[in-house]
């Protein structure tokens, strides 16, 4: 081996562990990389691509790397540039398909590509009006999610009913009505000459299936494929990938079934788990060395998954033996567990603990508070503000949409054209942004001034980071180009301030200190997780939260929703056997089976108005025939509906998930005066009683 070749191999392979090196040097597919949290999967696959390009096995323009977020794609492109590899296409499934569709539409279909419908709400509202349906904003949001799920599951209006038989009532509508609305929505798009994001994939699939010439051209363009986060691939995305491959096997997939948390969007880990069956000769590499978290955090994560009991065939089909992570970092503090009397006290305690960490030297940007639903953030926003600690709400206003960031981009673009060369990048950026209010020292207090400074400070920190990694030749013009690329991909830099985020939004991120809050039954697992499959996903979601922590981990829950409220909550079942002094609970399956047996032995349910046998579940739930007059107060029922809508928006879930219309009707008619009475209402299970009981009783008393 020549000295130059030896130097290249050392640079691309020298810092990899044995398993990562196996990934990087296995240049021919099929290759399946099972990569646990924090095991360096992105490092392994980017070094594989770079090594393959430098070795002459890959042509950069003929390799397509598919990620699931624009941010991840931008990060991958940046890493490849740092490794001396440009030209590799790193895109999301949608971005790659849209680019192909824009290119091939004129020859495959003819004419101009229809416009892209970025938001479904107006089209769904129009479809509902055509059917003379009354739907509110929450129902429209629920229906948009349902249609997205149906389309990525490759269902059509005519096949929807068969495929959605277990989906409940999206938007509070019967499935037959949803199927009609699905067709009406498609008609609205045709009338307006629009396609939605799912159509981009569907039409691309259709063209590749029907036009051999287009398929051959795509397969000639792309010879090698890499798919990250493969556990989150939907059936539609998998079909598109199959068509890209065209029977070839030059495919590398990377994923972890233990981090499957997007099943509600149509994602499934089945493709990852069955990869070896579809490609019998595949090389399988397991990455289990965790470089992110301390042994204490890794041990807790391993024990959480290890405590899972068999959920039966349906659940076990999508559950692989979890990867047993092996910590590589030096020991750190033990995870902390805290029980608080109410939500307000929990938020205050978390803010106080964060203040202690900041005082001890942890930067706020390296701290995160993670919760199950977006509605939980308000208490922590208030507590951090009261403590004088800045924060950023992930999922709020996008970084590059902020007024001060847009102003900064304009100023930097102008300076890049006029500023003399030779000024170090970090200093050049500081000089420009000082006119917008940036200073090296943060302003005291919080509020708009502090938020503005934090945005500008993030740009300065990014300039320093890129100057260090890209070298002296990376100046202000290159920095401006980088910012515009990041803006297009919404690849925001880190902002000073504690991050507040949902567990779903935290996927793919990491912090030195992580606070997992609201870990009580009804929230984790969420109350509407009522099957073994959905409870399993809630366990994986908590696993994702735990493995975001590098060093410090704090887990907390409260016993009551409001100060002075009844302490009827209990810690999440997932913490049994993990928190000090607790024991593992037995599996839920026997309890579920006994409940089913009790229901089976009940006699017929009679209408309390006319005495007829009640046939449907909705009738049995309210205790009367659908045709018999209701006995509730209309104002009370409308108050319950308004409350339910508010709860659904806070939790970012469909309204029927809180309570169905039938359950609301039953509550309004029963007028329960205590938690014991409310528990007797059909549709009010233990989890929902714990989460919503006090609020419902308070509303009924007010009514």
């Amino acid at each position: 081996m020549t000295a130059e070749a030896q130097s290249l191999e050392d640079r691309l392979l020298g810092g990899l562990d044995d398993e990562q090196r196996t990934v990087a040097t296995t240049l021919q597919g099929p290759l399946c990389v099972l990569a646990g949290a924090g095991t360096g999967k992105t490092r392994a696959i980017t070094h594989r691509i770079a090594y393959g390009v430098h070795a002459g096995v890959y042509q950069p323009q003929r390799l397509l790397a598919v990620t699931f977020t624009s941010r991840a794609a931008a990060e991958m492109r940046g890493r490849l540039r740092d490794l001396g590899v440009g030209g590799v296409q790193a895109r999301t499934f949608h971005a790659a398909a849209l680019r192909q569709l824009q290119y091939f539409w004129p020859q495959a279909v003819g004419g101009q590509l229809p416009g892209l419908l970025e938001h479904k709400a107006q089209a769904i509202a129009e479809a509902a009006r055509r059917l003379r349906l009354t739907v509110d904003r929450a129902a429209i949001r629920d229906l948009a999610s349902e249609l997205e799920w149906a389309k990525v599951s490759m269902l059509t209006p005519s096949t929807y009913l068969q495929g959605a038989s277990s989906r409940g009532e999206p938007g509070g509508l019967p499935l037959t009505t949803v199927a009609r609305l699905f067709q009406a929505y498609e008609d609205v798009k045709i009338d307006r000459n629009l396609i939605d994001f799912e159509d981009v994939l569907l039409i691309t699939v259709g063209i590749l299936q029907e036009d051999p010439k287009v398929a051959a051209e795509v397969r000639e363009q792309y010879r090698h494929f890499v798919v990250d986060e493969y556990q989150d691939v939907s059936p539609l995305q998998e079909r598109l990938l199959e068509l890209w491959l065209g029977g070839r096997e030059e495919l590398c997939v990377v994923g972890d079934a233990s981090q499957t948390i997007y099943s509600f969007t149509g994602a499934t880990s089945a493709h990852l788990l069955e990869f070896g069956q579809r490609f019998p000769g595949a090389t399988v590499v397991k990455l289990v060395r965790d470089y992110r978290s301390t042994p204490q955090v890794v041990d807790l994560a391993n024990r959480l998954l290890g405590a899972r009991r068999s959920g039966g065939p349906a659940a076990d089909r999508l559950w692989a033996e979890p990867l047993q992570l092996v910590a590589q970092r030096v020991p750190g503090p033990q995870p902390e567990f805290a029980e608080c009397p109410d939500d307000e006290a929990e938020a205050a305690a978390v803010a106080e603990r964060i203040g202690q960490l900041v005082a001890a030297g942890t930067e706020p940007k390296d701290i995160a508070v993670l919760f199950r639903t977006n509605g939980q953030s308000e208490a922590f926003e208030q507590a951090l503000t009261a403590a004088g600690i800045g924060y950023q709400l992930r999922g709020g206003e996008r970084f590059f949409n902020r007024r001060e960031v847009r102003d900064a981009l304009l100023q930097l673009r102008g300076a890049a054209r006029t500023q003399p060369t030779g000024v170090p990048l970090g200093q050049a950026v500081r000089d420009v942004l000082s006119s917008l209010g940036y200073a090296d020292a943060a302003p005291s207090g919080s509020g708009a001034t502090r938020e503005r400074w934090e945005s500008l400070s993030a740009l300065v920190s990014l300039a320093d980071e890129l100057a260090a990694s890209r070298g002296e030749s990376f100046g202000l013009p290159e920095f401006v180009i980088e910012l515009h690329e990041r803006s297009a991909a919404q690849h925001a830099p880190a902002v000073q301030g504690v991050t507040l985020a949902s567990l779903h939004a935290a996927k793919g991120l990491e912090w030195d200190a992580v606070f997992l809050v609201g870990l009580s039954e009804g929230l984790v697992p969420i109350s509407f997780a009522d099957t073994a499959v959905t409870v399993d996903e809630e366990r994986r979601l908590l696993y994702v939260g735990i493995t975001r922590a590098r060093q410090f981990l704090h887990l907390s829950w409260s016993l009551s929703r409001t100060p002075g409220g009844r302490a009827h909550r209990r810690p999440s079942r997932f913490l049994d056997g993990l928190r000090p002094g607790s024991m593992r609970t037995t599996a839920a399956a026997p309890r579920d089976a006994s409940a089913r047996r009790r229901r089976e032995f009940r006699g017929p349910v009679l209408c309390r108005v006319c005495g007829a046998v009640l046939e449907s579940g909705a009738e049995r739930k309210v205790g009367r025939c659908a045709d018999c007059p209701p006995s509730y107060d209309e104002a009370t029922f409308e108050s319950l509906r308004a409350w339910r809508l508010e709860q659904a928006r806070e939790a970012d879930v469909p309204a029927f998930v809180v309570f169905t219309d039938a359950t609301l009707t039953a509550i309004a008619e029963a007028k329960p005066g205590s938690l014991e009475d409310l528990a007797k209402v059909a549709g009010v299970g233990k989890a929902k009683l714990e989460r919503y009981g006090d609020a419902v009783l308070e509303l009924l008393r007010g009514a």
Side-chain angles (χ1 to χ4, degrees):
M1 182 181 294
T2 65
E4 182 180 356
Q6 182 63 52
S7 174
L8 176 65
E9 183 157 335
D10 290 342
R11 183 164 68 89
L12 295 179
L13 305 178
L16 306 180
D17 63 33
D18 290 344
E19 294 79 19
Q20 292 172 341
R21 180 183 284 256
T22 299
V23 173
T25 56
T26 304
L27 301 180
Q28 304 294 329
L31 171 63
C32 179
V33 182
L34 302 177
T39 57
K41 67 179 177 69
T42 306
R43 177 179 176 82
I45 58 177
T46 52
H47 280 250
R48 177 183 187 264
I49 293 170
Y51 185 68
V53 170
H54 286 297
V57 177
Y58 305 149
Q59 297 179 42
Q61 294 78 10
R62 294 192 168 188
L63 188 147
L64 177 60
V66 184
T67 68
F68 272 77
T69 65
S70 298
R71 179 189 179 94
E75 180 183 348
M76 183 175 290
R77 290 194 296 269
R79 290 200 189 195
L80 289 170
R81 277 198 301 267
D82 293 343
L83 293 172
V85 179
V88 172
Q89 299 295 308
R91 301 180 180 278
T92 64
F93 269 105
H94 281 93
L98 180 59
R99 188 174 185 185
Q100 292 176 17
L101 191 58
Q102 290 168 334
Y103 181 81
F104 289 113
W105 179 276
Q107 68 184 77
V109 181
Q112 187 175 0
L113 181 69
L116 189 61
L117 179 67
E118 295 193 5
H119 304 289
K120 292 183 172 64
Q122 288 187 348
I124 291 175
E126 171 62 22
R129 283 194 294 271
R130 292 185 180 187
L131 298 177
R132 298 187 178 182
L133 297 174
T134 301
V135 289
D136 56 23
R137 293 175 63 183
I140 289 174
R141 184 194 60 191
D142 298 344
L143 290 165
S145 298
E146 182 69 6
L147 296 189
E148 288 166 7
W149 169 83
K151 297 182 78 166
V152 302
S153 300
M154 302 182 72
L155 298 175
T156 65
S158 61
T159 61
Y160 171 78
L161 280 177
Q162 181 179 357
S165 57
S166 61
R167 295 287 290 179
E169 295 184 342
L173 299 175
L175 294 183
T176 51
T177 303
V178 176
R180 290 171 54 225
L181 188 135
F182 189 174
Q183 182 60 63
Y185 167 77
E186 295 298 316
D187 293 340
V188 168
K189 287 189 299 155
I190 292 172
D191 293 345
R192 296 184 181 179
N193 194 33
L194 294 171
I195 59 174
D196 60 27
F197 284 102
E198 292 73 41
D199 291 330
V200 170
L201 300 182
L202 285 164
I203 297 171
T204 305
V205 164
I207 291 175
L208 292 173
Q209 286 180 159
E210 301 298 329
D211 194 322
K213 183 179 177 182
V214 171
E217 194 170 340
V218 170
R219 291 163 192 161
E220 175 65 21
Q221 172 65 42
Y222 295 118
R223 300 296 186 86
H224 299 270
F225 296 86
V226 176
V227 183
D228 195 10
E229 303 290 359
Y230 193 57
Q231 77 278 353
D232 290 328
V233 167
S234 70
L236 178 55
Q237 291 167 333
E238 176 66 16
R239 180 59 184 145
L240 179 59
L241 179 61
E242 290 172 354
L243 290 165
W244 282 341
L245 283 166
R248 296 168 297 172
E249 297 189 342
E250 290 306 321
L251 172 64
C252 169
V253 300
V254 188
D256 178 11
S258 297
Q259 297 186 67
T260 305
I261 59 173
Y262 293 110
S263 295
F264 62 93
T265 67
T268 172
S269 59
H271 304 118
L272 176 67
L273 299 177
E274 297 167 2
F275 190 82
Q277 299 173 27
R278 289 181 291 119
F279 298 95
T283 300
V284 179
V285 181
K286 294 183 179 180
L287 303 184
V288 296
R289 305 188 203 208
D290 188 315
Y291 297 96
R292 175 188 299 161
S293 305
T294 63
Q296 288 76 11
V297 173
V298 169
D299 175 65
L300 190 71
N302 284 337
R303 288 196 289 139
L304 172 69
L305 293 189
R308 186 255 185 188
R309 299 290 198 273
S310 174
D316 292 343
R317 187 177 70 83
L318 299 179
W319 184 278
E321 186 67 27
L323 295 170
Q324 191 74 12
L325 299 179
V326 180
Q328 303 297 299
R329 291 189 56 178
V330 298
Q334 287 291 340
E336 298 178 353
F337 294 84
E339 184 173 272
C340 303
D342 54 68
D343 289 353
E344 187 177 311
E346 182 182 13
V350 166
E352 180 181 4
R353 191 71 180 93
I354 289 174
Q356 295 169 358
L357 291 177
V358 172
T362 303
E363 293 192 42
K365 69 179 178 63
D366 293 325
I367 303 173
V369 179
L370 306 181
F371 32 76
R372 177 60 180 84
T373 68
N374 292 324
Q376 295 170 261
S377 71
E378 185 177 358
F380 297 93
E381 293 177 54
Q382 294 174 350
L384 290 171
T385 299
I389 300 171
Y391 66 87
Q392 57 167 327
L393 185 61
R394 187 168 179 83
E397 184 184 21
R398 289 182 169 183
F399 179 82
F400 287 103
N401 291 347
R402 298 176 185 176
R403 173 71 178 272
E404 63 270 18
V405 175
R406 296 200 307 269
D407 291 344
L409 285 175
L410 287 173
Q411 297 275 18
L412 290 168
R413 189 187 306 128
R417 292 194 295 264
T418 60
Q419 193 171 70
T421 58
V423 180
L425 176 60
Q427 186 59 51
V429 173
R430 284 174 171 82
D431 292 343
V432 173
L433 299 188
S434 63
S435 64
L436 297 176
Y438 173 77
D440 287 337
S444 58
S446 57
T449 301
R450 176 62 181 244
E451 291 175 3
R452 180 181 180 86
W453 179 87
E454 287 172 348
S455 297
L456 299 177
S457 177
L459 294 174
V460 171
S461 299
L462 179 62
D464 291 339
E465 176 188 327
L466 293 175
S469 63
R470 306 280 174 88
E472 295 181 1
S473 62
F474 191 83
L476 195 55
E478 290 77 17
F479 183 61
V480 170
I481 293 172
E482 175 80 18
L483 288 178
H484 280 286
E485 290 180 355
R486 284 173 172 254
S487 176
Q490 289 299 329
H491 181 195
V495 176
Q496 269 294 353
V498 174
T499 298
L500 301 179
S502 70
L503 288 166
H504 282 101
K507 180 76 165 63
L509 304 175
E510 58 187 75
W511 296 269
D512 284 347
V514 170
F515 289 77
L516 300 177
V517 300
L519 301 181
S520 59
E521 282 289 311
L523 282 171
V524 181
I526 199 75
S527 57
F528 53 84
D530 54 2
T531 67
V533 172
T534 53
V535 169
D536 271 350
E537 182 136 338
E538 293 288 303
R539 183 184 294 273
R540 293 193 294 268
L541 189 58
L542 180 57
Y543 173 80
V544 166
I546 290 173
T547 54
R548 300 309 95 192
R550 298 189 190 109
Q551 184 157 348
F552 177 89
L553 182 63
H554 181 99
L555 304 95
S556 62
W557 60 93
S558 64
L559 299 177
S560 174
R561 182 181 180 185
T562 57
R566 179 177 175 179
H568 63 269
R569 287 179 175 171
R570 65 183 181 88
S572 167
R573 71 189 77 171
F574 298 149
L575 301 182
D576 293 343
L578 303 183
R579 58 190 174 90
S582 67
M583 298 177 62
R584 279 187 188 174
T585 57
T586 56
R591 294 198 299 271
D592 293 343
S594 64
R596 284 195 298 270
R597 285 194 296 270
R598 286 196 299 273
R599 285 196 295 268
E600 288 168 0
F601 293 138
R602 288 177 180 172
V605 180
L606 305 180
C607 173
R608 64 170 176 266
V609 178
C610 69
V613 175
L614 300 178
E615 300 293 340
S616 71
E619 289 178 337
R620 288 193 293 270
K621 186 171 287 188
V622 299
R624 59 175 172 77
C625 299
D627 296 333
C628 288
S631 60
Y632 61 76
D633 176 69
E634 190 68 31
T636 299
F637 182 71
E638 289 305 316
S639 296
L640 285 168
R641 279 172 55 89
W643 168 84
R644 179 182 67 173
L645 177 60
E646 179 183 347
Q647 297 301 310
R649 286 173 175 168
E650 286 185 1
D652 195 25
V653 298
F656 70 87
V657 165
V658 179
F659 285 124
T660 64
D661 282 351
T663 300
L664 280 191
T665 301
I667 292 172
E669 294 194 352
K671 303 183 186 68
S674 65
L675 289 174
E676 290 76 13
D677 292 339
L678 182 59
K680 297 174 183 177
V681 176
V684 182
K686 184 175 182 181
K688 291 189 178 183
L689 185 70
E690 291 176 348
R691 185 170 183 192
Y692 302 124
D694 289 338
V696 169
L697 293 178
E698 183 178 346
L699 187 148
L700 291 173
R701 283 193 291 269

